[in-house]
Amino acid sequence: MAPKDELPLALRSAYLTLHRRSDAVFMEYGITADQFVLLATLARGQAMTQRELAARMPSDPSTVRAMLLLLEKLGLVSRAAHPTDARARTVSLTEAGVRTFQRAFEAGQEVRDQMVESFSPGEARTFLSLLKRMTQSLGERVTQVAVAVAEPSK
Amino acid sequence: MAPKDELPLALRSAYLTLHRRSDAVFMEYGITADQFVLLATLARGQAMTQRELAARMPSDPSTVRAMLLLLEKLGLVSRAAHPTDARARTVSLTEAGVRTFQRAFEAGQEVRDQMVESFSPGEARTFLSLLKRMTQSLGERVTQVAVAVAEPSK
DNA sequence: TATTGTTATACTCTATAACTATA
DNA sequence: TATAGTTATAGAGTATAACAATA
């Protein structure tokens, strides 16, 4: 069987394994692996709009909204009016959100270590590079469609 | 930032991108990407029990059952009594299931090609190998049972 | 007109726990 | 006692479409 035909299932198994391990680790902090990703995204760039947040996750704006409602109820994020755009709302971590993220990040260290325990440093870099290139290749058509859709309007 | 710290999010982005592209492709055939994985698993080893199926996906037995109910309603899989174990049921693709899987597999060729379009053949093999090693490292403490079940299948 | 976000809605996947039937 | 599967239940994430407010 060609590597190409095995890749999708191998990628899926890798991700699902990571996702389940992460869920198990983060459960102690009252959050899911996906919620952790949202917190991590906010931690890297505070006060972004919901659309920016969705684009970076990457996820759907209405999915992100559903997640934000849950996280707001947990007191981990807050939404405020955007300074210049009255349509938009900026999303931020609360103090509790920052603390929870930091603790969960530390607790996740074990999983991150275990991901690369069979890799040399060079292999880890290669793996990261290949993952990014694959994501870009696969995402390109989506961009083209978006461009094509946006085309008639110019 | 160390590659190790970027890897989880990079893996997630790669998988989610693949998953969304796959869902879009398979929608035409009335199935989801995850249902396609179940059909593909059956196509590679007919008449397995629900537990074997769950172990190979990899997924949870009760999740697999929920998926099987949907796929049975679509007429793509069928369940029959196990020849020797009265507790168990064997799961198989129906003729319609085989056809749907084959068509969906062909339709997915474009996505599989695009995954590796920026890779040399050697890089594709390396990527697959690293994915498998990562999954194994990460799963060692959690999936003893799944590994034991999956092993006999060569 | 296009964009940001909300609302309403629906469905798939996920998983735990209690249960039965059988090994 | 352990295992295969079912049932009941719950919740998270996903996404679409119609809508209001604003750019």
Side-chain angles (χ1 to χ4, degrees):
Chain A
M1 193 185 229
K4 185 178 66 178
D5 294 327
E6 285 189 66
L7 269 180
L9 289 185
L11 177 58
R12 180 178 191 270
S13 288
Y15 171 71
L16 290 181
T17 302
L18 169 66
H19 194 260
R20 290 190 181 114
R21 284 293 304 273
S22 302
D23 264 341
V25 167
F26 296 144
M27 183 180 296
E28 187 183 346
Y29 301 89
I31 59 175
T32 67
D34 291 307
Q35 289 169 351
F36 175 82
V37 171
L38 193 156
L39 297 182
T41 306
L42 284 180
R44 291 200 303 179
Q46 282 281 29
M48 61 185 75
T49 65
Q50 294 184 196
R51 290 195 97 81
E52 284 169 354
L53 181 57
R56 292 191 196 181
M57 296 231 0
S59 193
D60 186 272
S62 76
T63 300
V64 165
R65 180 179 178 266
M67 296 178 72
L68 286 176
L69 295 185
L70 292 171
L71 290 169
E72 247 179 345
K73 201 153 53 181
L74 293 174
L76 302 181
V77 306
S78 66
R79 291 182 290 172
H82 190 280
T84 61
D85 187 340
R87 297 170 306 181
R89 305 177 70 169
T90 60
V91 187
S92 301
L93 291 176
T94 62
E95 287 183 22
V98 172
R99 281 199 306 275
T100 295
F101 167 68
Q102 286 173 345
R103 287 177 191 149
F105 179 83
E106 285 163 24
Q109 192 62 51
E110 182 194 1
V111 173
R112 292 192 297 280
D113 286 342
Q114 208 175 332
M115 276 183 84
V116 297
E117 84 181 0
S118 72
F119 293 171
S120 69
E123 285 175 328
R125 281 194 303 275
T126 298
F127 188 49
L128 180 61
S129 159
L130 292 171
L131 271 175
K132 286 183 176 176
R133 273 165 59 195
M134 202 223 77
T135 305
Q136 195 177 3
S137 296
L138 214 45
E140 258 158 21
R141 197 189 74 94
V142 173
T143 302
Q144 284 168 357
V145 169
V147 169
V149 169
E151 208 84 56
S153 70
K154 78 172 177 187
Chain B
M1 191 184 229
K4 186 179 65 178
D5 295 326
E6 284 189 67
L7 270 179
L9 289 185
L11 177 58
R12 180 178 191 270
S13 288
Y15 171 71
L16 290 181
T17 302
L18 169 66
H19 194 259
R20 289 189 181 113
R21 284 293 304 273
S22 301
D23 264 341
V25 167
F26 296 144
M27 182 180 296
E28 188 183 345
Y29 302 89
I31 59 175
T32 67
D34 291 306
Q35 289 168 351
F36 175 83
V37 171
L38 193 156
L39 298 183
T41 305
L42 284 180
R44 291 199 303 179
Q46 281 282 29
M48 62 184 76
T49 66
Q50 294 183 195
R51 289 194 98 81
E52 284 170 354
L53 181 58
R56 292 191 196 183
M57 299 239 346
S59 193
D60 186 273
S62 75
T63 300
V64 165
R65 179 179 179 265
M67 295 177 73
L68 286 175
L69 294 185
L70 291 171
L71 289 169
E72 246 179 346
K73 200 152 55 180
L74 294 174
L76 302 181
V77 306
S78 66
R79 290 182 291 171
H82 190 280
T84 61
D85 186 340
R87 298 170 305 179
R89 305 177 71 168
T90 59
V91 187
S92 301
L93 292 175
T94 63
E95 286 183 23
V98 172
R99 280 198 307 275
T100 295
F101 167 67
Q102 286 173 344
R103 287 177 191 149
F105 180 82
E106 285 163 24
Q109 191 63 51
E110 183 194 0
V111 174
R112 292 192 296 280
D113 285 342
Q114 208 176 334
M115 275 183 85
V116 297
E117 85 179 0
S118 72
F119 293 171
S120 69
E123 285 175 328
R125 281 193 303 274
T126 298
F127 187 49
L128 180 61
S129 159
L130 291 171
L131 271 175
K132 286 182 174 175
R133 274 165 57 196
M134 201 222 79
T135 305
Q136 196 178 3
S137 297
L138 212 45
E140 257 157 22
R141 287 168 203 173
V142 173
T143 39
Q144 310 94 333
V145 174
V147 169
V149 170
E151 209 72 57
S153 71
K154 147 182 97 184

